[in-house]
Structures are given as C-alpha cells and as structure tokens.
Amino acid sequence: MNILAETDRLILREILSSDTSSMYEMYTDPLVLQYLGEKPFVHVQQAEEVIEFIRAQYIANGTGRLAVIKKDTNEFIGWAGLKYVTGSYNDHTNYYEVGYRFIQKYWGKGYATEAARASIDYGFSELMPDKIYAMADSGNKASRVVLEKVGMRYLEKFDLGGIDHDWFEISRTEWDQRRSEQHQ
Ligand SMILES: CC(C)(COP(=O)(O)OP(=O)(O)OC[C@H]1O[C@@H](n2cnc3c(N)ncnc32)[C@H](O)[C@@H]1OP(=O)(O)O)[C@@H](O)C(=O)NCCC(=O)NCCS
C-alpha cells in the first residue's frame, strides 16, 4: 500500500481498484455531487473507470486524488489531494489544485480540513510548485470554510458554465510562514 501522507486520524494512499464499492457509494449520492455539476453514477463500472482515470494521472502527472482512510477503522471515507489540471479554469492552466470529496456520513467531523492540510503539505514538499490553487462553486459553503481554515486565500469570483465559482490560491511562502507560526 503506497501511503503518501498521514495525519492524526487519516492515511492518504493511492486509490486502488479495491476501493470501487466505496467510490460507487460516494458517486451515487446526489448531495455529494450537488455543487460539482456531475450526475450520480448508475453503474459500478463508472466507479471502476474513475479509479482507472485517477491511477493514470499518478503515472502521467506524478500525482492525483488519493484515497482517504480512517486509521481507527481502516475505512475508505473519500478522496482528497492534488490534481494536476491541464484544462483552463479562470485563465489558469497546468497547475496543482487541491480538492476533496467524502461519503456523506463522514461530513462535519473535520476530515476535509485535515486531509486538505496534509495534501497541501505534501504538494509543497514533494511537487515543488510555487502556488497551489482551489476552486469551489460559490454556493458550496462547507468547501469554502475548509479552504479558508487551511489558509487558502480567496482571490476572486469567476464564471464556470454559467455558475459563480470562488477561486483560491496559496503560495509556498505563505504556506511556510503559516506553518512556522503554527509551530511557534
Ligand atoms: C465539502 C466537504 C468535503 C466538507 O467535508 P467535511 O469533512 O464535512 O469538512 P470539515 O468537517 O473539515 O469542515 C467543514 C466546515 O464547513 C462548515 N459548514 C458545513 N456546511 C456549512 C454551511 N452550509 N454553511 C457554512 N458552513 C458550513 C462546518 O461547520 C465546518 O466548519 P467548522 O469546522 O468550523 O465547524 C464535504 O461536504 C463533501 O464531501 N461535499 C461533497 C463534495 C464537494 O463538494 N467537494 C468540494 C468541491 S469544491
């Protein structure tokens, strides 16, 4: 098992084909997909395809979304991590984006915040970008709270397919400073 990051309660490891049923559970829930413009899955095969897609990104880009595992129970609770975005969003292309998605029963316990923080740490220490970015539907209040709690800086709104989205970023310098303040 390839563990990329670890927090007090969570392990972030590569997504595996053995995660298919948990991924399917997550992607069949309309509330999980509410702000993502995606339709709920109706076939397990769709979850298999997403896993293959993510695993191909590990090879092509050296990173991708990671399975988030609860240490005490060994359960798959969702995914989090950095995606290398090659499309164009808010006039940015070829950048690292932090993201997360959890099975609904695990919401509201601080897991997204913990996993996002670990993902950004991993990104700045292993992938060496100058900045890490994030975006969220402006109506997705929980996601905005998570991004602000981990220190991402809100920059502006932009239009994505007719829907207002919020754009966030953090530089390596800002992240290092934040970490050193937390350790003082
Ligand atoms: C967004 C998501 C990842 C958050 O996960 P989570 O583990 O519940 O997040 P956390 O518990 O770390 O933090 C959520 C914060 O948002 C707050 N929050 C939740 N719903 C909120 C709302 N409607 N309005 C304001 N704040 C809200 C919570 O109170 C919490 O803040 P707190 O710790 O200060 O109390 C989860 O809801 C999810 O998987 N949603 C579906 C996928 C998705 O939208 N992903 C993000 C795409 S940009």
Side-chain angles (χ1 to χ4, degrees):
M1 186 170 66
N2 200 350
I3 295 176
L4 283 302
E6 191 171 347
T7 69
D8 287 347
R9 297 181 294 170
L10 307 171
I11 282 170
L12 275 64
R13 63 145 169 82
E14 285 188 6
I15 294 184
L16 305 168
S17 58
S18 51
D19 298 319
T20 301
S21 60
S22 304
M23 285 283 276
Y24 184 63
E25 178 185 350
M26 184 161 76
Y27 278 84
T28 52
D29 182 347
L31 262 188
V32 168
L33 306 175
Q34 185 179 12
Y35 295 110
L36 305 171
E38 298 173 27
K39 288 207 178 80
F41 285 0
V42 289
H43 298 295
V44 175
Q45 195 193 339
Q46 291 172 285
E48 289 168 359
E49 286 164 6
V50 170
I51 292 173
E52 277 168 28
F53 179 74
I54 290 172
R55 291 192 60 79
Q57 290 183 339
Y58 297 158
I59 295 165
N61 304 330
T63 193
R65 308 305 196 190
L66 298 170
V68 180
I69 308 298
K70 219 162 143 304
K71 274 185 189 174
D72 58 351
T73 58
N74 208 30
E75 286 161 293
F76 173 105
I77 65 169
W79 61 241
L82 299 179
K83 176 178 179 179
Y84 189 66
V85 178
T86 53
S88 179
Y89 294 91
N90 196 26
D91 298 326
H92 288 67
T93 187
N94 296 335
Y95 63 90
Y96 292 103
E97 176 211 62
V98 65
Y100 32 70
R101 194 174 290 197
F102 290 93
I103 295 170
Q104 201 188 134
K105 64 182 174 223
Y106 300 109
W107 293 3
K109 302 177 193 323
Y111 293 136
T113 305
E114 202 167 311
R117 202 172 272 135
S119 301
I120 298 169
D121 247 346
Y122 172 82
F124 280 129
S125 59
E126 300 295 326
L127 306 169
M128 308 311 246
D130 291 332
K131 283 186 179 173
I132 291 175
Y133 299 88
M135 64 179 192
D137 183 315
S138 301
N140 195 344
K141 302 297 178 211
S143 188
R144 187 182 178 117
V145 171
V146 170
L147 292 171
E148 287 176 339
K149 277 199 296 184
V150 300
M152 299 288 298
R153 188 161 40 80
Y154 169 74
L155 213 66
E156 59 199 356
K157 279 201 193 311
F158 72 103
D159 177 82
L160 184 62
I163 297 169
D164 268 357
H165 278 67
D166 296 337
W167 183 260
F168 295 82
E169 64 178 49
I170 190 162
S171 68
R172 166 187 297 282
T173 314
E174 286 169 314
W175 184 254
D176 288 345
Q177 185 164 354
R178 204 181 150 79
R179 299 297 280 166
S180 70
E181 282 165 8
Q182 279 164 357
H183 289 120
Q184 275 166 17

